[in-house]
Each structure stands twice: as C-alpha cells, then as structure tokens.
Amino acid sequence: RAGRRITMEKVHIFDLEGTRFPAGRRTRVVIGQNGAITGDKFCQGYVVIDPNGKIPEHEHETVESYTIIKGTGRMTVDGETQAIGPGDCVFIPSMKKHALVNTGSEDMHMIFVYAPSVIVDHWAQEKRGELK
C-alpha cells in the first residue's frame, strides 16, 4: 500500500546482559513489560542454565511454554518429571508448579513464552533467596 510504513523492532539476544539468578542461570527478557522490546500481550525470553543450575519450582497465573534449544535436563510440571532435550517444547498450564534442572555437563539454552505479559513474582522471590 502506498504510504504504509512498517516498523521492525530487532534485538540480538546475546547483546542483552539479562539477569543472573542465584540458582545458576542468566535470563534475558527479549519481549515483555521488562523486555528489550516492550510487549503487552506476551513475554518471551532466552535463558542459559549452567550445568547443575535450574529454574526453581514456582507457579503463576500465566500460561507458559519452555522450548529447549541445547542441553539436557529434567522438567517437572504439576509433580510429573520427564527428561528433556533439544527440540522439546513443554506447555505449562496456569497455576501448575513447574521447575527445570540442567542435568548435563554443558550450558542448557531455552526459550520461554508466557501470556499475558506481566512481570512474574518468582524472579524477585528467587533473587531474595526465597526459591532455591
């Protein structure tokens, strides 16, 4: 269409410092209320989990998915634990406790997406040492 202007927002995930969490991971929020790109419908981030690091068990109202890009680990959702690896995508329903542990000898890389876009409480709880 004549006169239509398209704006593309682009970031490179590895240019983002992100947040280092005590459980052994760096979380980069790419899109979301506190992301490099502001988003109001959903939140997307890129996480690198150290060997033996984890995302501690937590729950929230948002639905979420974890997609494993690299590495191996154990994913627990609502008390069920399964091995997880590259290409696996797990859907996490609202208010279901979930956790992810890197059981491999290399960094695990994963992408999370949750909706609606809010700043979830468990990040602050973990930084304060309330989640381990």
Side-chain angles (χ1 to χ4, degrees):
R1 291 180 172 163
R4 183 172 179 208
R5 184 179 169 135
I6 298 173
T7 303
M8 178 190 305
E9 289 189 71
K10 176 183 168 186
V11 297
H12 191 283
I13 57 175
F14 297 115
D15 290 343
L16 305 176
E17 182 178 344
T19 302
R20 181 84 186 152
F21 285 92
R25 76 176 187 283
R26 180 168 305 280
T27 297
R28 296 169 171 97
V29 181
V30 181
I31 301 169
Q33 288 182 12
N34 58 339
I37 297 172
T38 302
D40 60 356
K41 302 293 184 195
F42 69 96
C43 181
Q44 176 183 330
Y46 194 91
V47 181
V48 178
I49 305 172
D50 305 333
N52 299 310
K54 62 184 172 181
I55 298 173
E57 185 177 72
H58 63 283
E59 64 187 15
H60 39 71
E61 284 190 37
T62 60
V63 296
E64 187 170 25
S65 67
Y66 285 6
T67 302
I68 307 304
I69 305 302
K70 177 182 172 185
T72 57
R74 283 190 327 270
M75 179 83 202
T76 302
V77 177
D78 198 28
E80 179 184 349
T81 301
Q82 292 188 24
I84 196 165
D88 287 333
C89 182
V90 175
F91 176 74
I92 304 155
S94 175
M95 299 310 296
K96 297 294 182 183
K97 288 186 177 184
H98 54 284
L100 176 60
V101 178
N102 179 354
T103 59
S105 59
E106 297 181 355
D107 288 348
M108 172 184 275
H109 291 239
M110 61 85 78
I111 295 170
F112 68 84
V113 176
Y114 66 78
S117 179
V118 295
I119 298 173
V120 289
D121 294 339
H122 76 90
W123 291 341
Q125 290 172 322
E126 185 181 344
K127 283 199 238 176
R128 290 191 305 263
E130 296 170 13
L131 299 177
K132 298 182 192 250

